[in-house]
Amino acid sequence: MGRARLARLHGIATSYAPSPGKSVQTADDTVVAVLAALGVDASTPHAVRTALAAYEDGAGRALLPRTVVARPDRPPDLTGLPEGTVLRVETEGGGTADLGAPDPAALTRLPLGIHVLEARTPGGRTARAPLIVAPDRVPAPPGRSHGFLVQLYSLLSRRSWGMGDLGDLADLAAWSGRALGTGFVQLNPLHAAVPGPPTDPSPYRPSSRRFPDPVHLRIEHIPEYADLAGTARLRADELAARAHALRSEVLEGGALIDRDAVWALKREALELLWAVPLSPGRRAAYCDFLAEQGQALEDHATWCAIAERHGPDWRGWPDGLRDPRSPGTARLRHRLLDRIDFHCRLAWLTDQQLAAAQRAARDAGMAIGLVHDLAVGVHPSGADTWAQQDAFAAGMSIGAPPDAFNARGQDWGLPPWRPDALAAAGYAPYRELLRGLLRHAGALRIDHVMGLFRLWWVPEGRPPTEGAYVRYDGEAMLSVLALEAQRAGAAVIGEDLGTVEPGVRDALAARGVLGTSVLWFERDYGGGERDAAPRAEAADAAEAAEASDGPGAARAPEAVSDGSATGPAGEGVAAREAAPGPGAAARILAPGEWRSGCLATVTTHDLPTTAARLTGADVALRERLGLLTGPPDRERSRATYELAEWMGELVRRGLLPEGQGDEEAAVKGVHRFLLRTPARMVGVWLPDAVGDRRPQNLPGTWDEYPNWRLPIAGPDGRPHTLEELAASPRLHALMRELSDGYR
């Protein structure tokens, strides 16, 4: 009982429900391991008693919580303060406010921001805590809009250096906003990757979420490029010629996108540009950026510089360098000042081009512009975990528990944030992360948004079945999100596919966070409360698709718990296997039954393209790779039945006037269906617009399929450049449906 109580005090669940009506107790040794990761020894009865006593003497007697949260009409609970206590607030702007006797409502009337609350008792005890005063809601999207969803690396133009870049993004935004009336472009995470070779191509397993990756830079758009002269100019021209050849191999030679080859060329070009003196105005802007980013950027650049010497896994560095604040690191930092400056410069240049892309979007009339994506975690050996070691739980990985579709659970290989460390720091790491991502965004998508409330922690060396849920302060996490989103004037989209605990979707909606609704999963599963399971059977598909080394990412073979669950489930196969036979499947939700607070799409990066579903190419691909969970005939039969069911639905609603059997018409039809829903945002997967058959990511595969390395292509597999996309009759015909739908 003592250990269970200790677990509850630290937000650790001692049981979980793998399916409705079933409860599984968390193993004692798992509870001990998770408590240890939170700095609590519970290994023996004596240790448990000691830890409970320490909690009562510490957190149990604390005058104030680690962080106090207030928002309009929701004052904090300060009822535990002794009579006669007085409060004082140091505001974010540098002022002070003496509140006198505790009046929680007075805290809600303070300016929005991050303040410091001080409590002083008549007996002389004092306590200080960060005070977050947040708005009730994040900003709403400005009206209904439609836009593209795209993996940036896959979008090559005739100017790209082997993969899509920020110049291509700006061009896509400028063209689609002006010519097609789109309101946004949603991207994959642009976070900094752990350098290779080989570099993990997944954008969902980054080294750092705080800074973007300079591999996305358009070299020719850097102002210093025009100032290259002499041998530097000749070398830059040689690099550009090699980049042209690399691009041609992808677009015309059938080669895969090679991030490492692209980075090798860009890195050398950036070394040449770094040697070009900045103009006075550019130097001043760079210095302002350094001052604004402060210690976070210095740490990131230092990690990059040390990684050049000792490799990208800081856990294997010499002892003196594993601590970013050690004397050894300080000495090496001094010796590596030039390399640190180089990496700081790259962060600045990338930030500038991100700003330019958002300006291009807004100048083109987009109400939202860029929608950036926040991955759920970071690589255990990357820059963020090195710089913020106290904020991460050592020896833990996040994932998903066993459920009806995956008896082995999932381990994503990503270390979790410690909820106690976040609270003690006033959520500073989280605030800084959001602030950086929202600098040049009209909206932010949060991958696995349920992680703001709880995450499944798996102790290192144990299977994901032996994990435990650890709870985060959802009120605080949402309040920080609302504050930073309001400061940036940005909307927020939560990826809430999969099993979602009751109440979470309601809590997100109450704060104005949009959900994610995928056409194929929107059915009435008879679960009653929408939180409980309306998308669970098929949407656990998307949840499982997030398995691999992090949500949305491909997994190494040793990380895959079960091909039948983690691979095929990513495209709804778990649902097909679990669903009843023809004639008894869950009812397709009518457009009017969809929620308005969502981004509605037909498909995502982890699911088959629409053309693949319509033609059966998705089942054929999984059969070829041995990923089917049942006999091929049964799989094909289920897919055929579901497709016929959807086509019949479109015909009944008058959304397929061209009749059945026309692939392009069917693609239009499912998007016409989305337009009938009240969804605030409708997203078009850009490859769908030209009939691409290939998914960008096939969960459950590693070397078997080229995840995250494919350019956008047409039905025949021939890559399409941005210029060809802009001239595509098929794309224009589809997008006219959406623009006409808003008139």
Side-chain angles (χ1 to χ4, degrees), residues 316-357:
W317 291 353
D319 289 345
L321 302 181
R322 295 176 194 169
D323 180 357
R325 307 290 171 248
S326 72
T329 299
R331 288 191 296 270
L332 185 57
R333 194 191 302 258
H334 182 72
R335 293 199 297 271
L336 295 177
L337 284 179
D338 280 352
R339 298 309 302 163
I340 292 171
D341 181 68
F342 173 70
H343 290 289
C344 286
R345 182 84 65 89
L346 300 191
W348 174 59
L349 294 173
T350 311
D351 182 80
Q352 285 196 315
Q353 291 196 5
L354 281 168

Side-chain angles (χ1 to χ4, degrees), residues 9-69:
L9 290 172
H10 289 85
I12 303 167
T14 55
S15 65
Y16 70 95
S19 59
K22 182 178 180 181
S23 179
V24 175
Q25 290 298 120
T26 305
D28 279 350
D29 54 354
T30 295
V31 173
V32 170
V34 174
L35 281 168
L38 294 172
V40 179
D41 182 5
S43 57
T44 66
H46 174 72
V48 169
R49 290 192 295 273
T50 301
L52 285 170
Y55 183 89
E56 294 299 335
D57 288 341
R61 295 184 63 248
L63 288 176
L64 296 171
R66 288 191 175 98
T67 293
V68 179
V69 179

Side-chain angles (χ1 to χ4, degrees), residues 16 25 115 148 228 246 264 270 299 383 399 475 489 504-505 585 587 594 640 668 680 685:
Y16 70 95
Q25 290 298 120
H115 313 303
F148 285 125
L228 290 172
L246 189 63
L270 290 164
D299 286 343
E475 170 65 19
V504 165
R505 287 195 179 102
R587 177 181 63 85
W594 286 43
T640 299
K668 292 177 185 176
R680 294 294 298 271
W685 178 234

Side-chain angles (χ1 to χ4, degrees), residues 675-688:
L675 291 175
R676 290 277 188 93
T677 75
R680 294 294 298 271
M681 299 172 67
V682 173
V684 177
W685 178 234
L686 185 53
D688 270 357

Side-chain angles (χ1 to χ4, degrees), residues 170-195:
D171 211 23
L172 172 68
W175 160 68
S176 65
R178 287 184 165 86
L180 306 175
T182 55
F184 62 90
V185 175
Q186 180 179 297
L187 303 160
N188 57 286
L190 302 183
H191 308 321
V194 177

Side-chain angles (χ1 to χ4, degrees), residues 317-663:
W317 291 353
D319 289 345
L321 302 181
R322 295 176 194 169
D323 180 357
R325 307 290 171 248
S326 72
T329 299
R331 288 191 296 270
L332 185 57
R333 194 191 302 258
H334 182 72
R335 293 199 297 271
L336 295 177
L337 284 179
D338 280 352
R339 298 309 302 163
I340 292 171
D341 181 68
F342 173 70
H343 290 289
C344 286
R345 182 84 65 89
L346 300 191
W348 174 59
L349 294 173
T350 311
D351 182 80
Q352 285 196 315
Q353 291 196 5
L354 281 168
Q358 177 66 350
R359 281 197 304 273
R362 289 296 178 84
D363 289 348
M366 287 189 174
I368 297 173
L370 304 185
V371 181
H372 287 294
D373 195 354
L374 172 60
V376 71
V378 292
H379 197 286
S381 70
D384 282 1
T385 55
W386 177 73
Q388 298 178 320
Q389 292 175 45
D390 291 343
F392 290 93
M396 293 287 144
S397 172
I398 60 175
D403 56 30
F405 308 104
N406 183 352
R408 299 187 185 183
Q410 302 167 19
D411 183 346
W412 300 336
L414 306 170
W417 263 335
R418 287 180 53 163
D420 58 332
L422 287 178
Y427 293 85
Y430 179 48
R431 288 189 278 118
E432 292 168 3
L433 172 60
L434 292 174
R435 201 166 296 172
L437 285 165
L438 291 167
R439 281 172 64 85
H440 310 301
L444 176 67
R445 174 191 182 268
I446 300 180
D447 195 41
H448 193 72
V449 72
M450 297 82 78
L452 299 182
F453 299 85
R454 67 176 183 177
L455 285 170
W456 182 255
W457 288 23
V458 181
E460 185 176 351
R462 299 186 186 182
T465 52
E466 298 179 16
Y469 272 120
V470 177
R471 187 158 296 282
Y472 294 75
D473 186 339
E475 170 65 19
M477 298 289 276
L478 285 175
S479 292
V480 171
L481 177 62
L483 176 61
E484 296 302 332
Q486 182 168 105
R487 285 172 162 172
V492 178
I493 303 158
E495 186 275 295
D496 59 349
L497 301 172
T499 301
V500 183
E501 64 176 317
V504 165
R505 287 195 179 102
D506 287 342
L508 293 169
R511 304 302 293 271
V513 177
L514 303 184
T516 301
S517 293
V518 177
L519 179 112
W520 311 108
F521 301 159
E522 290 294 315
R523 290 175 177 266
D524 179 5
Y525 293 98
E529 183 185 3
R530 190 176 186 89
D531 275 348
R535 280 176 294 277
E537 286 150 13
D540 264 328
E543 173 89 358
E546 297 175 350
S548 28
D549 295 343
R555 299 174 99 179
E558 62 273 14
V560 177
S561 60
D562 180 8
S564 67
T566 59
E571 45 161 35
V573 175
R576 291 179 186 164
E577 291 303 312
R587 177 181 63 85
I588 292 172
L589 287 182
E593 295 178 276
W594 286 43
R595 52 185 171 171
S596 61
C598 74
L599 166 66
T601 69
V602 177
T603 191
T604 74
H605 59 266
D606 278 328
L607 301 172
T609 65
T610 303
R613 282 190 186 271
L614 294 172
T615 61
D618 59 328
V619 178
L621 174 62
R622 290 185 292 105
E623 182 178 4
R624 187 169 72 249
L625 297 178
L627 296 176
L628 297 182
T629 59
D633 287 345
R634 186 177 70 176
E635 188 79 9
R636 283 190 289 269
S637 175
R638 289 184 181 276
T640 299
Y641 173 76
E642 288 184 3
L643 182 59
E645 189 181 23
W646 264 105
M647 293 304 103
E649 182 76 9
L650 296 180
V651 170
R652 282 192 298 275
R653 295 187 177 278
L655 300 176
L656 198 58
E658 302 91 340
Q660 299 190 47
D662 183 328
E663 177 191 315

